[in-house]
Amino acid sequence: MRLRCAVLDDYQDVAAEAADWSAVADEVEVVPFGRHVDSEDALAAALAGFDIVVTLRERVPFPASLIARLPRLKLLVASGMRNSVIDYAAAEAHGVTVCGTASSSTAPVELTWALLLGLARGIVEESNALRSGGPWQSTVGADLHGRRLGLLGLGRIGGRVARVGLAFGMRVSAWSQNLTRERADEVGAELAASKEELLADSDFVSVHLALGDRTRGLLGAAELALLKPTAYLVNTSRAAIVDQDALLDALHAGRIAGAGVDVFDVEPLPAGHPMRTAPRLLATPHLGYVSRATYATYYGQAVEDIRAFLDGAPVRRLP
């Protein structure tokens, strides 16, 4: 009897074609889930008959309580090599092997700039007006050249975002708790003296920090109040870094020019969620890593992880 493998959150129905699954086809039945399962009870019921689960990024939490309700589960494959929503101790205690895959910063860097440019030039508003017979030119774009780009975080993604900003002729500043002048110099950015200085001085602020105890709620009402009324905020990192209620208040009050957001406190967003209708907001449904090349890596290496597990020699084990 073949093992059963659930592929979660395959929204676009592409998991089967994004990689060659033939290496495990004789031993594993692959079952894509096209819709998100959003409660632990529903997940426990849906996954009860599966031996392997492939999950994308941190879309689905696997706490100890859920793992304990999945007695057949033997292998959990998570895309990327870092995942904060899996209880690794519980997995080990229940005999569940956890493996990861490689990941690339290319797709989130490109989406960051898609959001930033879309905000700066009013792309969505102008395109919608053109297609619907609306006014011919109704916005005045914000220039990038000569303006200051402030980056919260200067790691793999933040560093590449910085280099694109420099190519546009922007002045780039960066700050994080552990950022050194040497790292800032490496990518051609200025080291901001403080988070507050960066927020007050920047025309565009982009978030590129990992979520943790020190970064959760890093930008609240007081921090957002430091932004210029002409400034734009972009968050393609983690929703909890920016206080969502405070951001909604700032957008509705017009205290900032706009925001580009790819991450949310609840995903997928419920139909009536206030982020769906907020003014001055360019929002995308967590597309940061959703690209053909990224999916080829995720699913291709998921197949490798499964094959290695079946052969008794798991690879890319987490944590």
Side-chain angles (χ1 to χ4, degrees):
M1 181 180 296
R2 291 193 298 170
L3 301 178
R4 302 188 75 220
C5 171
V7 180
L8 300 183
D9 292 332
D10 185 17
Y11 298 137
Q12 301 94 344
D13 191 26
V14 295
E17 64 188 50
D20 180 1
W21 294 80
S22 62
V24 299
D26 289 343
E27 299 167 74
V28 178
E29 176 193 2
V30 178
V31 181
F33 282 62
R35 293 186 177 182
H36 183 69
V37 183
D38 60 2
S39 77
E40 183 173 311
D41 287 345
L43 275 167
L47 300 179
F50 288 90
D51 311 276
I52 302 167
V53 172
V54 176
T55 182
L56 280 178
R57 303 301 295 145
E58 295 167 325
R59 288 178 180 175
V60 178
F62 280 84
S65 54
L66 175 59
I67 293 171
R69 298 170 71 179
L70 301 174
R72 277 187 57 172
L73 183 63
K74 292 295 180 283
L75 174 64
L76 178 59
V77 179
S79 57
M81 291 301 292
R82 181 174 60 190
N83 193 301
S84 64
V85 299
I86 296 173
D87 189 322
Y88 295 108
E92 182 177 6
H94 288 274
V96 178
T97 300
V98 184
C99 297
T101 74
S103 187
S104 170
S105 61
T106 299
V109 169
E110 292 174 354
L111 184 74
T112 295
W113 280 101
L115 289 172
L116 195 151
L117 288 165
L119 285 167
R121 299 306 297 269
I123 298 298
V124 174
E125 182 178 349
E126 294 287 4
S127 176
N128 288 342
L130 185 147
R131 294 168 63 88
S132 64
W136 184 263
Q137 297 183 3
S138 60
T139 65
V140 178
D143 297 284
L144 271 59
H145 185 85
R147 300 300 189 269
R148 184 170 294 280
L149 171 63
L151 300 175
L152 291 167
L154 202 62
R156 283 194 312 151
I157 295 174
R160 294 182 66 177
V161 170
R163 291 186 173 98
V164 176
L166 293 169
F168 274 114
M170 302 182 80
R171 295 173 294 147
V172 180
S173 298
W175 176 89
S176 71
Q177 288 97 334
N178 297 322
L179 183 61
T180 65
R181 186 170 300 279
E182 290 74 20
R183 171 57 181 165
D185 290 343
E186 184 181 327
V187 299
E190 301 172 30
L191 177 63
S194 65
K195 173 183 65 177
E196 291 74 17
E197 178 186 274
L198 180 135
L199 294 172
D201 289 349
S202 297
D203 301 291
F204 300 86
V205 174
S206 191
V207 180
H208 302 289
L209 293 164
L211 179 61
D213 292 339
R214 294 193 303 173
T215 59
R216 188 179 300 275
L218 187 73
L219 299 187
E223 289 76 19
L224 294 177
L226 297 173
L227 292 170
K228 303 174 185 178
T230 55
Y232 296 90
L233 174 69
V234 176
N235 186 11
T236 58
S237 183
R238 290 292 182 268
I241 296 172
V242 180
D243 185 304
Q244 191 167 261
D245 291 337
L247 177 59
L248 284 167
D249 287 344
L251 292 170
H252 280 283
R255 289 194 292 271
I256 60 175
V261 175
D262 187 49
V263 287
F264 306 92
D265 60 348
V266 178
E267 296 184 7
L269 276 180
H273 196 286
M275 292 293 279
R276 288 186 177 270
T277 55
R280 304 176 181 85
L281 177 67
L282 176 55
T284 48
H286 207 155
L287 300 178
Y289 54 86
V290 180
S291 75
R292 288 184 174 88
T294 302
Y295 273 17
T297 298
Y298 284 172
Y299 290 121
Q301 293 196 3
V303 175
E304 294 175 2
D305 289 349
I306 295 169
R307 182 67 265 166
F309 174 80
L310 295 174
D311 292 339
V315 295
R316 291 185 286 266
R317 298 189 68 163
L318 297 178

